[in-house]
Amino acid sequence: MTKILVVDDEPDLVRFVRRALEADGYQVLTATDGSQGLLMALTEQPDLTVLDLRMPGVDGHAVLAGLLATQPGARVLVLSAAADVEARIDCLERGAVDFLAKPFAIRELLARVRSRLRNPADASGGFVLQVGPIALDIRARRLRIDGRETTLSEREFLLMQHFMRNPDAVCSRSELLSAVWGYDFDPATNVVDVYVGRLRAKLRRDVIQTVRNVGYQLQSA
């Protein structure tokens, strides 16, 4: 059975999330402080850790850093009221696989959990994502394809990382705006289209497909 660890200092929220995850068929472990959560993450090695940032004592930032330093391939979904853009970017750059702001809809949390668990951990120790001929080095922010290597800007990197953690999934523009730029919704901006264009130029392959009236899809084959 897939094992999920929930680390949050709000007991009522922990119980609520635990019941929802168990009803969805997962084995759920819980911790209500950072030190206990880090110990359980290291010893129990869950398939996914759902982690709050703002906890007394050892906070979520320290748990995330400590866990990924020891287990670089660990998957962490940050669930936090610290929903500003910088907090999201910081967690994603440190290696979290997703960030969901509080308050949240439980259906969205379950959908994100399922999505993150569908993506297999990479065999390179968590530092390189591989989709077909494309490799993304998370530490160096370098993209490799067909023997070529190129560097990426911060936003290009975050956008490519999101695509490569969700191969073959159709990613809506609103999803990409939230994950990469921290916007909830802005129908007037074309920033996603601009950055997809930049990635396509660097890839030199037609692997990021436009899905009409929805968004984009990174094809794995």
Side-chain angles (χ1 to χ4, degrees):
M1 184 180 290
T2 301
K3 186 189 303 182
I4 298 176
L5 171 64
V6 179
V7 185
D8 197 297
D9 66 334
E10 299 179 53
D12 290 343
L13 184 143
V14 169
R15 285 192 291 270
F16 173 62
V17 172
R18 179 174 189 164
R19 286 197 297 268
L21 290 170
E22 287 178 339
D24 222 33
Y26 301 111
Q27 177 187 352
V28 183
L29 307 173
T30 64
T32 53
D33 64 71
S35 59
Q36 180 191 23
L38 179 57
L39 178 62
M40 292 182 69
L42 293 174
T43 56
E44 297 289 341
Q45 298 188 9
D47 298 283
L48 178 72
T49 297
V50 177
L51 176 67
D52 183 30
L53 289 183
R54 294 176 175 172
M55 295 182 287
V58 178
D59 66 10
H61 295 284
V63 174
L64 180 64
L67 175 57
L68 294 180
T70 305
Q71 298 175 10
R75 285 177 282 196
V76 180
L77 188 160
V78 173
L79 184 66
S80 178
D84 59 279
V85 175
E86 292 306 316
R88 296 187 192 197
I89 291 174
D90 179 67
C91 290
L92 293 170
E93 289 186 333
R94 287 172 179 265
V97 298
D98 205 347
F99 190 113
L100 181 60
K102 295 179 180 178
F104 60 92
I106 194 63
R107 289 179 59 196
E108 182 177 6
L109 174 62
L110 293 175
R112 289 181 183 239
V113 166
R114 295 186 202 110
S115 175
R116 299 316 169 206
L117 290 171
R118 279 198 299 268
N119 301 326
D122 58 89
S124 62
F127 293 122
V128 177
L129 298 176
Q130 185 82 40
V131 175
I134 308 169
L136 181 66
D137 188 317
I138 293 175
R139 290 178 297 180
R141 295 192 185 183
R142 289 185 176 274
L143 185 68
R144 294 195 300 273
I145 183 169
D146 299 333
R148 295 180 292 103
E149 189 172 277
T150 183
T151 57
L152 300 174
S153 70
E154 178 180 290
R155 303 295 181 176
E156 289 169 350
F157 165 75
L158 291 173
L159 182 59
M160 195 66 204
Q161 179 180 232
H162 190 88
F163 279 132
M164 294 190 69
R165 290 193 187 278
N166 298 276
D168 297 316
V170 177
C171 301
S172 68
R173 287 179 175 83
S174 59
E175 173 188 342
L176 296 171
L177 276 172
S178 176
V180 179
W181 285 271
Y183 302 162
D184 290 330
F185 181 66
D186 184 353
T189 183
N190 68 340
V191 68
V192 172
D193 309 282
V194 170
Y195 275 81
V196 167
R198 293 180 183 180
L199 286 179
R200 283 171 168 165
K202 291 187 175 184
L203 288 167
R204 300 184 193 172
R205 274 174 173 257
D206 194 20
V207 292
I208 300 179
Q209 296 291 313
T210 300
V211 180
R212 188 178 177 86
N213 297 324
V214 181
Y216 296 97
Q217 177 191 44
L218 175 68
Q219 297 185 331
S220 60

